[in-house]
Amino acid sequence: MEYRDAIFIITEELSCPIYNVGEELKVESMALTVPEAKPACLLLVQEVMKIVSNRQSMERFTPQGIRKTKFACGGCTGLIRFEFKKEKGFATLQMKLLAAAEQRQRMKHVDKFYDLLRKLDIFEPLEEDSLRDLSALLELKEYGANKIILKKGDPGTSLYIVVEGKVAVVSDDGQTLSEMKVGDVFGEMSLLSGEPVTTSIHSRERTKLATLSSKDFKHVLNKYPILQVFFYRLLVERAQANSLRSGTISSGMTGKLSDIHPVELFQLINTSTKTGKVELLFEDGKATVLFNEGELVQAVHDNLAGKEAFFSLLAHSDGTFSYTSGISEEAAALPVIGGFMGLVMEGMRRIDEQSEE
């Protein structure tokens, strides 16, 4: 049986578990090549091979002019429609040069994202070929300053990686809850949980994002199970951050001070009358703070202790923390280090004075 070489383009898609609109299917030398980094669907292979083995024209004349013949593959849970794009192969030198230019442009696209992804901890376990496959699936989106990228309540459709610029997590009343910079990832919570977007995301300046569609995200997780561990941990961290913002804290909770400032963290423990220990880790040191029924009873930061240690912690906005409920009997017997709100106000006054110097 003779097969024709040809290129088809997907024009419609409805719940197809693999392919997207705009992707190409290429037939050459009795073999079907699917989009890079995508698995080959056997149902699609059979359908396309049936088409190229038929000698009838893949274009038709209509009163409106020449139209491409549309084909469909719907043998599973989804459906795609595709049409003939052009004959495979390039007969002229000009067309061959065009094909080479297209290949160079595609490799430029892959290399651009590859260099970015290689620097991210999330993709560190992937081998070079796997990372290039992943890079080929990404698309670039650009936003001007102060534009809405995601709106609370929207369905989750993509994973986003900040390539350039800065974005902010914004509350219902317009307050900035946290900011994300180059290399940070967002949008994964909705994709993993299937729930709508829980917070709005705005661009703070001109921003470029690498995006991975929901379908391709699921494909990547299935193909590279090691990434499932990372995204699970990220999901837990984000869920904990949301709990903190809503005013709840529990034993074993960890987080970043970029998500909740020390002042807010300590106030949360105080208003909740919690008894427990907060351990903080910074690039240049660490600290421990103890609370007994919401009141401060001990604070140690490097060579500082008591009020001075507590005041120094209020100036930190970078680092991590962990909270554990309960303190020892000896710590429970310690006297309270002054009124909590008075300490906070004194500490903030000192920070303001230092910033004015």
Side-chain angles (χ1 to χ4, degrees), residues 23-71:
E23 293 180 333
E24 294 184 352
L25 311 170
K26 303 178 182 180
V27 179
E28 184 176 25
S29 302
M30 300 175 60
L32 173 66
T33 301
V34 297
E36 190 169 3
K38 295 291 185 73
C41 169
L42 295 181
L43 294 173
L44 178 62
V45 171
Q46 294 175 355
E47 192 65 36
V48 172
M49 288 307 176
K50 187 191 307 180
I51 294 168
V52 296
S53 66
N54 192 324
R55 298 305 300 173
Q56 70 182 42
S57 175
M58 286 185 269
E59 297 177 327
R60 53 192 174 84
F61 291 95
T62 70
Q64 292 77 33
I66 298 177
R67 292 287 185 269
K68 305 286 187 181
T69 301
K70 291 187 178 293
F71 307 97

Side-chain angles (χ1 to χ4, degrees), residues 18 44 51 56 105 117 148 157 178 200 246 259 268 322 333 340:
I18 302 176
L44 178 62
I51 294 168
Q56 70 182 42
Q105 188 63 29
L117 301 186
I148 298 176
T157 59
S178 64
S200 297
S246 65
D259 290 329
L268 177 58
S322 62
F340 179 78

Side-chain angles (χ1 to χ4, degrees), residues 37-315:
K38 295 291 185 73
C41 169
L42 295 181
L43 294 173
L44 178 62
V45 171
Q46 294 175 355
E47 192 65 36
V48 172
M49 288 307 176
K50 187 191 307 180
I51 294 168
V52 296
S53 66
N54 192 324
R55 298 305 300 173
Q56 70 182 42
S57 175
M58 286 185 269
E59 297 177 327
R60 53 192 174 84
F61 291 95
T62 70
Q64 292 77 33
I66 298 177
R67 292 287 185 269
K68 305 286 187 181
T69 301
K70 291 187 178 293
F71 307 97
C73 176
C76 63
T77 57
L79 171 72
I80 61 170
R81 290 190 174 90
F82 53 97
E83 64 183 33
F84 172 72
K85 181 178 179 181
K86 60 185 177 183
E87 296 289 345
K88 185 71 175 65
F90 302 94
T92 67
L93 176 60
Q94 183 179 5
M95 294 302 289
K96 290 180 179 179
L97 292 175
L98 177 61
E102 290 177 348
Q103 176 66 7
R104 285 196 300 271
Q105 188 63 29
R106 189 192 68 79
M107 291 306 299
K108 184 178 179 181
H109 166 89
V110 170
D111 289 342
K112 173 177 59 180
F113 288 124
Y114 175 87
D115 292 339
L116 170 70
L117 301 186
R118 185 77 290 171
K119 299 174 183 177
L120 303 183
D121 292 341
I122 170 179
F123 301 118
E124 194 276 331
L126 295 185
E127 297 179 354
E128 182 175 339
D129 289 344
S130 298
L131 194 58
R132 289 194 178 278
D133 285 347
L134 175 59
S135 300
L137 298 175
L138 295 173
E139 293 184 6
L140 186 67
K141 292 186 178 180
E142 299 186 27
Y143 297 85
N146 302 314
K147 299 296 183 181
I148 298 176
I149 299 171
L150 290 177
K151 189 176 181 181
K152 181 178 177 179
D154 288 344
T157 59
S158 300
L159 175 76
Y160 298 84
I161 304 171
V162 182
V163 176
E164 181 180 306
K166 185 188 298 181
V167 302
V169 181
V170 180
S171 65
D172 294 342
D173 59 2
Q175 297 296 313
T176 298
L177 301 177
S178 64
E179 291 187 337
M180 290 177 281
K181 56 186 183 304
V182 174
D184 285 334
V185 177
F186 63 94
E188 80 295 332
M189 286 190 68
S190 294
L191 297 184
L192 291 169
S193 66
E195 299 295 325
V197 174
T198 56
T199 52
S200 297
I201 307 291
H202 295 190
S203 60
R204 277 289 173 256
E205 56 193 48
R206 185 170 182 82
T207 299
K208 294 182 180 180
L209 303 173
T211 67
L212 188 67
S213 71
S214 173
K215 183 187 304 182
D216 289 344
F217 177 67
K218 294 175 182 177
H219 163 65
V220 167
L221 290 187
N222 288 332
K223 187 171 183 179
Y224 310 114
I226 194 169
L227 295 182
Q228 295 179 20
V229 176
F230 175 89
F231 281 108
Y232 174 75
R233 290 175 179 169
L234 190 60
L235 184 63
V236 171
E237 289 176 3
R238 296 278 168 85
Q240 290 187 154
N242 289 338
S243 295
L244 287 170
R245 295 189 190 109
S246 65
T248 59
I249 187 169
S250 58
S251 185
M253 185 168 283
T254 61
K256 300 177 181 178
L257 297 181
S258 57
D259 290 329
I260 180 168
H261 192 274
V263 173
E264 298 174 299
L265 176 62
F266 297 151
Q267 285 180 329
L268 177 58
I269 297 173
N270 173 255
T271 56
S272 302
T273 63
K274 295 285 188 179
T275 296
K277 176 173 65 174
V278 181
E279 293 181 289
L280 304 104
L281 182 63
F282 314 110
E283 285 188 1
D284 58 350
K286 57 184 179 180
T288 301
V289 182
L290 301 183
F291 287 86
N292 187 11
E293 296 184 353
E295 297 296 339
L296 180 70
V297 295
Q298 188 180 86
V300 178
H301 179 207
D302 293 337
N303 60 341
L304 300 176
K307 292 182 180 180
E308 296 302 320
F310 183 75
F311 294 152
S312 69
L313 295 176
L314 301 185

Side-chain angles (χ1 to χ4, degrees), residues 8-23:
F8 300 88
I9 186 168
I10 298 174
T11 56
E12 298 177 53
E13 180 268 324
L14 179 63
S15 301
C16 173
I18 302 176
Y19 307 114
N20 301 311
V21 171
E23 293 180 333

